Amino acid sequence: KGGFIVTKIRTDIGYIAYRATADELAPIGGKGVCDSCNRYSYHGYLIPVLNSYYCPECYRDFCSRARFYPDDIGHETRVAAYYESKIPLEGKTQ
């Protein structure tokens, strides 16, 4: 398998997201099925605040309509920490 290419990013409104492939999400049970449209997408985005994997199209839709709620920060932080303990994150040594 190639290098570490799961990349941690932030949405324009401040939520954490990870650009990843279906293969890279296997350690957390990911199969590459978008949790919004239910279609397979090898490339996609893991969104901790939603605890969901979105295809690029649904991710763009989420980003265009999402609102940032400060009350979500605790949940997002816990879910992101779990993801980062399991997935091959860019820059993280295994």
Side-chain angles (χ1 to χ4, degrees):
K1 192 168 164 174
F4 305 110
I5 59 173
V6 174
T7 305
K8 185 176 184 177
I9 59 176
R10 288 229 177 235
T11 66
D12 288 343
I13 61 168
Y15 283 123
I16 297 168
Y18 301 91
R19 192 173 21 243
T21 66
D23 290 342
E24 293 160 338
L25 300 182
I28 59 170
K31 303 292 184 194
V33 176
C34 176
D35 289 314
S36 182
C37 69
N38 206 36
R39 291 182 298 219
Y40 176 78
S41 179
Y42 183 73
H43 294 280
Y45 296 84
L46 189 60
I47 308 167
V49 74
L50 302 177
N51 196 22
S52 294
Y53 177 78
Y54 277 17
C55 69
E57 183 179 336
C58 290
Y59 176 75
R60 282 189 298 274
D61 182 55
F62 165 74
C63 288
S64 73
R65 62 182 166 75
R67 290 182 145 175
F68 185 81
Y69 295 100
D71 290 349
D72 291 339
I73 294 172
H75 168 74
E76 178 188 49
T77 301
R78 284 187 299 278
V79 175
Y82 170 76
Y83 290 163
E84 291 184 23
S85 75
K86 302 291 182 187
I87 59 176
L89 189 63
E90 180 180 62
K92 176 178 127 182
T93 55
Q94 297 293 315

